[in-house]
């Protein structure tokens, strides 16, 4: 039997979750369950809040357009939050949505926009980033919604990282052609340190930014191969590599 029940819709809620609690659904959630999915009282709904694990709820309609959910049982305990930081230069809106969703799917525990010299835009809607993170968590059986950290300049973001956290820096000019060898050389896969990944803008990093990053201890420059990747593609590629070699997919 699969570890997750993907047949039941999953909803993120802010409320505390406990046996027997009855939660009123907001208008959008009620419409989604009653009108879009046509769920009835016998159909299960799964809920999570990022703190109390996952719970199976019983739908209690209150007319055609409103409903409550009664919590029946906990289906999964709350796991420890992911400790992978994903730092990225903001992209245009549609691609920014994609990056946020994929970062959640790939196990990021913190998502932080970082402004660089060649960043395409500096207008970041953190509520939209969080909405995309929640949607990805709902769809993929993830219980811990990543922290959406405040945007920061590159120098500030680097200074905020703990010295013991290994920073994986995606650099198209990195001398090591084999990314797996580079990661294994930077940390012991049997006992990996806390991790952070940094992906720059479409125009790459300025030379002074590359020097600033390289000067940080506990940093490894990573080449993603012979092709230049778009920033949103690079995000998925590097997160997959890091998780496979040093992360929770190894």
């Amino acid at each position: 039997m699969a570890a997750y029940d993907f047949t039941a819709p999953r909803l993120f809620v802010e409320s505390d979750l406990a046996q027997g609690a009855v939660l009123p659904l907001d208008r959008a959630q009620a419409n989604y369950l009653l009108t879009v999915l046509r769920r009835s009282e016998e159909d299960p709904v799964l809920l999570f809040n990022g703190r109390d694990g996952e719970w199976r709820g019983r739908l209690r309609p209150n007319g055609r357009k409103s409903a409550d959910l009664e919590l029946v049982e906990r289906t999964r305990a709350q796991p420890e939050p992911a400790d992978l930081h994903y730092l990225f230069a903001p992209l245009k809106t549609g691609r920014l949505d994609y990056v946020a969703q994929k970062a959640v799917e790939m196990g990021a525990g913190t998502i932080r926009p970082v402004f660089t010299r060649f960043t395409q835009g500096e207008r970041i809607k953190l509520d939209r980033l969080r909405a995309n993170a929640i949607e990805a968590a709902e769809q993929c059986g993830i219980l811990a919604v990543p922290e959406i950290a405040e945007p920061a300049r590159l120098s500030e973001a680097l200074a905020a990282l703990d010295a013991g956290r290994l920073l994986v820096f995606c650099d198209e000019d990195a001398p090591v052609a084999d990314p797996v060898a580079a990661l294994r050389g930077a940390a012991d896969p049997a006992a990996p340190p806390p991790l952070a990944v940094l992906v720059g803008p479409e125009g790459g990093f300025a030379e002074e930014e590359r020097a600033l990053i390289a000067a940080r201890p506990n940093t490894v420059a990573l080449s993603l191969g012979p092709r230049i990747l778009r920033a949103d593609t690079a995000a998925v590629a590097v997160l997959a590599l890091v998780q496979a070699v040093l992360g929770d997919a190894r």
Side-chain angles (χ1 to χ4, degrees):
M1 180 179 294
Y4 308 134
D5 178 5
F6 288 108
T7 64
R10 301 179 75 248
L11 293 180
F12 174 84
V13 296
E14 298 286 356
S15 304
D16 293 336
L17 304 177
Q19 185 82 33
V22 177
L23 307 181
L25 295 175
D26 62 34
R27 185 171 182 178
Q29 291 172 329
N31 179 70
Y32 174 66
L33 293 175
L34 297 175
T35 305
V36 178
L37 298 183
R38 300 185 180 277
R39 309 298 286 190
S40 67
E41 292 186 50
E42 303 302 320
D43 299 321
V45 178
L46 300 176
L47 296 97
F48 68 105
N49 61 7
R51 305 183 303 275
D52 301 322
E54 180 183 75
W55 288 76
R56 179 176 291 107
R58 182 180 294 119
L59 194 61
R60 295 286 186 246
N62 298 322
R64 296 179 58 189
K65 296 185 178 181
S66 64
D68 298 332
L69 277 172
E70 178 186 357
L71 299 188
V72 177
E73 63 177 344
R74 190 167 75 167
T75 57
R76 284 192 285 155
Q78 185 67 34
E80 290 295 322
D83 193 24
L84 171 61
H85 290 208
Y86 177 63
L87 285 60
F88 69 102
L91 304 169
K92 295 179 181 178
T93 300
R95 293 167 63 196
L96 185 61
D97 294 345
Y98 174 88
V99 165
Q101 293 164 2
K102 300 310 168 189
V104 175
E105 292 177 38
M106 297 304 298
T110 297
I111 297 174
R112 185 170 201 175
V114 175
F115 298 134
T116 69
R117 181 176 174 183
F118 300 127
T119 296
Q120 294 177 351
E122 296 193 359
R123 296 184 61 185
I124 303 297
K125 296 181 178 179
L126 294 184
D127 56 346
R128 180 169 183 142
L129 271 181
R130 179 168 170 78
N132 275 287
I134 289 172
E135 181 181 356
E138 287 178 334
Q139 294 178 353
C140 297
I142 296 168
L143 297 184
V145 176
E147 174 192 359
I148 306 299
E150 289 290 331
R153 296 290 174 186
L154 177 62
S155 59
E156 298 169 343
L158 293 176
L161 293 175
D162 293 337
R165 186 174 295 275
L166 175 64
L167 175 62
V168 179
F169 157 43
C170 289
D171 183 5
E172 62 271 17
D173 293 332
V176 179
D178 184 346
V180 174
L183 290 172
R184 287 177 175 165
D188 180 2
L195 300 168
V197 168
L198 173 63
V199 177
E202 294 287 310
F205 290 101
E207 286 304 316
E208 63 270 20
E209 292 173 332
R210 185 177 281 107
L212 180 66
I213 299 167
R216 179 191 180 271
N218 208 16
T219 296
V220 57
L222 195 70
S223 167
L224 295 178
R227 288 168 289 279
I228 300 298
L229 304 180
R230 287 174 32 151
D232 47 350
T233 307
V236 178
V238 69
L239 287 170
L241 279 167
V242 168
Q243 291 287 46
V245 179
L246 299 176
D248 60 13
R250 67 185 188 284

